[in-house]
Amino acid sequence: MVALLAAATVSEAASARKVLILGDSLSAAYGIERQQGWVTLLDQELGEEIALINASVSGETTAGGRQRLPALLSTHQPEVVVIELGGNDGLRGYPLASIRKTLAELITLSQANGAGVLLVGMQIPPNYGQRYSSGFAAIYPTLAQEYGVALLPFLLDGIAGCPELMQDDRIHPNASAQATMAEAVKQALQPLLEP
């Protein structure tokens, strides 16, 4: 069961292995009911042996995640951290070097706390030109290789660009897309959860 606890959604059995999800609106079920979101769907599928702690906040940037992560790691001591951030930085045209640096800090903080990391990649429309959007998309595989972490290349693969799977803003997936997102994260996460 998912319950609200101190700004993070937690499903926690006493002996459960903890997975912290540090994300933005895509993981915070923006525009849909929380129970329809991919995190809740994945939580239900994984069962009681895995506790998903959803610390995602709509509008979150990498810098906001960097500010919150130390306390979340200290409080929850997760076995795995899922980092689903950067999209808002890219949509706001933040410098690519800054986004990359802050994502790297999120990875190293998690690793220093003994957690495995799943980095969830994002792509953005070419509002700031093709060079910027290509450079942005390349941040994720580059970091995953450099730090030896798991990578889900693009959370909205097969969803972005499909009007029937997107909300009216064309940025956020609707309820119909959430099961696909949950399955993609599950596939990327499973190797990190093997004994």
Side-chain angles (χ1 to χ4, degrees):
M1 289 291 166
V2 178
L4 198 61
L5 179 68
T9 303
V10 181
S11 168
E12 220 166 317
S15 61
R17 299 163 68 193
K18 298 174 188 174
V19 175
L20 174 67
I21 298 168
L22 186 68
D24 54 29
S25 56
L26 298 178
S27 299
Y30 175 87
I32 59 175
E33 295 294 324
R34 187 172 275 275
Q35 65 267 21
Q36 294 177 310
W38 74 261
V39 177
T40 301
L41 298 178
L42 181 58
D43 180 63
Q44 292 166 350
E45 196 170 326
L46 292 176
E48 293 182 5
E49 66 278 358
I50 306 293
L52 293 189
I53 302 154
N54 192 359
S56 301
V57 176
S58 289
E60 186 70 287
T61 61
T62 56
R66 169 66 181 85
Q67 198 170 24
R68 293 190 303 120
L69 184 58
L72 290 165
L73 291 170
S74 175
T75 300
H76 299 290
Q77 293 298 316
E79 185 174 323
V80 177
V81 177
V82 177
I83 301 171
E84 183 273 302
L85 288 173
N88 289 313
D89 303 59
L91 290 173
R92 295 170 189 173
Y94 289 2
L96 296 178
S98 172
I99 300 170
R100 186 188 187 291
K101 178 179 180 287
T102 312
L103 283 170
E105 289 172 354
L106 293 171
I107 293 168
T108 56
L109 275 170
S110 301
Q111 291 176 327
N113 202 67
V117 173
L118 170 59
L119 185 60
V120 178
M122 188 46 52
Q123 296 175 16
I124 57 170
N127 298 2
Y128 301 103
Q130 192 60 49
R131 183 175 172 190
Y132 182 88
S133 58
S134 297
F136 175 84
I139 290 172
Y140 297 91
T142 302
L143 285 174
Q145 184 171 18
E146 183 177 338
Y147 289 93
V149 300
L151 174 70
L152 173 56
F154 183 34
L155 180 60
L156 301 182
D157 190 30
I159 296 168
C162 297
E164 68 278 9
L165 297 176
M166 301 298 286
Q167 296 180 40
D168 291 342
D169 64 9
R170 296 184 184 164
I171 295 172
H172 297 94
N174 62 27
S176 301
Q178 301 297 313
T180 301
M181 296 163 71
E183 183 60 27
V185 175
K186 180 184 174 187
Q187 293 301 320
L189 192 56
Q190 275 182 325
L192 294 171
L193 295 173
E194 289 173 358

